[in-house]
Amino acid sequence: METWTREQWEVALKESTAALYYLYTPMCGTCAVASKMMEVVSVMKPDMPIGKADLNYVQDLAMDYEIESVPCLLIQKDGIVQHKIYAFQSVPYLLEKIG
């Protein structure tokens, strides 16, 4: 899972049929657990473009996508954000949502 800028996310929206963008903040305890789950997801989905970003550095994206809290996982398919996940219940749950 690479750290992406907003521009890299927008490229993934245009060039990939599906992509994930994981948003977090370093001081968020729940994000620490979610980050571990996302590392597992990235290993299980090696062909899926997956990026992450500290929300403090992409605040305009938070406004545009109406991000309510962190952690947040944006799941896009065919250039459209299909899901915004805030409750990272389990790795199987995330994999089911990703499809």
Side-chain angles (χ1 to χ4, degrees):
M1 189 167 40
E2 298 176 0
T3 299
W4 283 356
T5 63
R6 181 182 182 145
E7 291 75 25
Q8 288 168 298
W9 165 243
E10 290 173 353
V11 167
L13 282 172
K14 291 176 189 162
E15 295 181 354
S16 305
T17 55
L20 308 176
Y21 200 23
Y22 168 60
L23 304 166
Y24 67 96
T25 60
M27 299 303 291
C28 163
T30 306
C31 296
V33 175
S35 293
K36 290 177 183 170
M37 288 185 194
M38 288 304 301
E39 289 297 333
V40 173
V41 167
S42 68
V43 169
M44 296 180 79
K45 294 279 192 180
D47 297 331
M48 172 88 55
I50 302 175
K52 66 179 179 177
D54 179 340
L55 198 60
N56 293 311
Y57 298 108
V58 289
Q59 291 179 4
D60 58 329
L61 182 126
M63 298 293 284
D64 293 345
Y65 283 90
E66 299 176 355
I67 305 299
E68 297 171 17
S69 65
V70 290
C72 179
L73 179 63
L74 300 176
I75 301 173
Q76 76 88 8
K77 292 190 173 138
D78 299 318
I80 299 167
V81 174
Q82 301 286 327
H83 299 286
K84 278 192 272 187
I85 296 177
Y86 298 104
F88 287 54
Q89 298 171 12
S90 66
V91 170
Y93 171 79
L94 293 173
L95 292 170
E96 179 184 318
K97 287 293 188 183
I98 293 164

